[in-house]
Amino acid sequence: MSGLYSIPLSGLKDGHHTLDFEIDSRFFELFEESEIKEGSLTVIVNIDKSSSHIDLDIRISGKVRICCDRCLGMFDHPIDCGNRLLVKYGRIRDDSDPDIITIPVDEHELDLRQYLYEFIHLSLPIRRIHPEDDSGNSTCDPSMLQRLEEHIVREDESSDPRWDKLKKLMNNN
């Protein structure tokens, strides 16, 4: 499956080239630790190759299915990101710099799987919650929101005897 997300370097002439890839659930199965299990994405790679380096402009768009941090329900999150990689030739492979990859001159293909995986995950928001509807209301699972509401302790509820009991327990320890 590595060839599906690779750029063939041998035979690639200097100049501009464009490749496109489709990413679906099979792609995310390649990464056991991935929090994304489903998705439908299109990747367009604009390649500018010269004798000394290759400049990759990578555009990823589509949607992935992720878990809501608030209600734990699954929802589709849109992805639209652009990234750039510079590939230069050297004696040994070095990808310690996240923006510049050094590959040996005799390498025949550049596997983009790990880079695509990272770009997709880095484009996700830190807080992942269901989007609001047109009226500005949450689209989270209402039954889960109700359960959460039952367990929230507010300071204005300090007159609740359970709150007093909890404070006493905490002060005794």
Side-chain angles (χ1 to χ4, degrees), residues 9-10 88-93 103-109:
L9 298 176
S10 57
K88 56 184 201 171
Y89 299 106
R91 284 184 270 169
I92 60 169
R93 183 171 188 76
I103 60 171
V105 177
D106 60 348
E107 193 145 330
H108 299 291
E109 71 178 14

Side-chain angles (χ1 to χ4, degrees), residues 21-118:
F21 305 101
E22 295 297 321
I23 292 179
D24 58 17
S25 301
R26 290 174 296 182
F27 175 82
F28 296 107
E29 289 171 3
L30 299 172
F31 302 92
E32 280 184 35
E33 74 281 0
S34 179
E35 69 180 278
I36 300 172
K37 302 297 181 201
E38 298 176 41
S40 177
L41 301 154
T42 300
V43 179
I44 298 173
V45 183
N46 287 305
I47 305 165
D48 284 313
K49 183 178 185 277
S50 70
S51 58
S52 62
H53 69 279
I54 302 170
D55 191 5
L56 304 174
D57 180 34
I58 302 170
R59 188 96 196 143
I60 305 171
S61 60
K63 62 182 178 179
V64 294
R65 192 146 185 84
I66 56 175
C67 182
C68 177
D69 291 339
R70 183 186 297 149
C71 73
L72 303 178
M74 300 301 284
F75 71 101
D76 289 334
H77 181 74
I79 300 287
D80 188 17
C81 64
N83 299 278
R84 188 167 176 229
L85 280 175
L86 183 64
V87 180
K88 56 184 201 171
Y89 299 106
R91 284 184 270 169
I92 60 169
R93 183 171 188 76
D94 179 14
D95 55 3
S96 59
D97 185 325
D99 298 321
I100 301 173
I101 306 164
T102 303
I103 60 171
V105 177
D106 60 348
E107 193 145 330
H108 299 291
E109 71 178 14
L110 177 63
D111 187 356
L112 294 177
R113 283 181 298 182
Q114 186 65 39
Y115 301 104
L116 298 176
Y117 172 81
E118 290 173 8

